[in-house]
Amino acid sequence: MFAFFDKISYFCIMDFYQLVAKRRSCRSFSSEELDGDEVQTIIRAALMSPTSMNRRSWHFILVDERMNLEKLSDAKESGASFLKDAALAVVVTGCPSANDCWVEDGSIAAFSMQLQAEDMGISSCWVQIRGRRLSDGTPASDVVRGILDIPEGMEVLCIVAFGKKNGEALPPREDADLHWENVHVGLF
């Protein structure tokens, strides 16, 4: 009986495994826009993601206006410049006073959006904001807060850029690239 369930699980998981292996960060987007249905499907994935104690205290700010995308691309010293060419940026925020797991919940939602986008043939890349600073010491989250008028008490975790790939995609991850030496059974 268990062998039967193992085979069913194996076949169901293969599509997910291929999706995860295929998903790679994209930092070069074409000028093609996303349509409303694509955006709604991506956001639906975030809203369906699990949260601690089912609090769902994250908030998502959708940015597709070129001027604001360009401003967001300068929110930190490096690793955000490609935002100016994205079709959509989703700023993931949370309220630490309402939910001590806001970082974890927001991270799960962000990655759920990335997986959904990849399944639809839309590329993405995570831009870390929390804990990052400009060279003058200004927190990147303060820069984003100022651009988008985010209220005090809300913290910015990340920005996820979405768009169609500009050029060839990176090849899927190979098993040889996996760091199995970082997996420990029982004891470290």
Side-chain angles (χ1 to χ4, degrees):
M1 180 164 128
F2 290 112
F4 172 75
F5 287 116
D6 287 344
K7 288 179 185 175
I8 290 175
S9 297
Y10 175 78
F11 288 116
C12 292
I13 291 175
M14 282 305 295
D15 288 343
F16 182 75
Y17 174 82
Q18 291 167 353
L19 178 66
V20 171
K22 184 178 140 189
R23 199 219 67 81
R24 303 293 300 269
S25 293
C26 175
R27 293 174 181 83
S28 181
F29 299 102
S30 76
S31 59
E32 187 176 346
E33 297 297 319
L34 303 181
D35 67 40
D37 288 339
E38 290 172 324
V39 173
Q40 185 176 18
T41 300
I42 290 168
I43 298 305
R44 183 178 283 118
L47 295 173
M48 293 171 70
S49 66
T51 61
S52 173
M53 297 170 47
N54 202 27
R55 288 185 181 152
R56 303 179 187 276
S57 62
W58 22 233
H59 290 261
F60 308 103
I61 304 166
L62 282 61
V63 180
D64 62 358
E65 184 182 292
R66 279 291 139 216
M67 184 181 354
N68 282 337
L69 288 168
E70 190 146 333
K71 289 177 184 177
L72 289 173
S73 74
D74 292 328
K76 62 182 208 164
E77 290 302 315
S78 64
S81 62
F82 56 85
L83 281 168
K84 67 181 176 295
D85 297 321
L88 173 71
V90 178
V91 180
V92 180
T93 69
C95 181
S97 65
N99 182 358
D100 64 333
C101 294
W102 75 275
V103 171
E104 293 84 351
D105 291 350
S107 298
I108 293 167
F111 194 58
S112 292
M113 287 188 284
Q114 288 188 280
L115 288 176
Q116 179 62 67
E118 185 65 40
D119 189 52
M120 299 164 56
I122 298 169
S123 298
S124 67
C125 191
W126 174 298
V127 178
Q128 179 66 25
I129 297 297
R130 188 180 70 85
R132 301 299 187 258
R133 297 181 174 279
L134 294 174
S135 60
D136 67 2
T138 304
S141 58
D142 287 355
V143 176
V144 174
R145 179 178 283 109
I147 295 167
L148 300 175
D149 200 26
I150 298 170
E152 289 298 320
M154 295 298 292
E155 294 295 328
V156 180
L157 172 64
C158 65
I159 303 171
V160 184
F162 295 97
K164 305 290 175 131
K165 286 181 185 73
N166 185 20
E168 292 295 312
L170 293 171
R173 295 205 184 275
E174 299 287 333
D175 280 345
D177 298 330
L178 303 180
H179 291 267
W180 286 101
E181 68 276 10
N182 293 350
V183 177
H184 309 277
V185 177
L187 302 174
F188 194 90

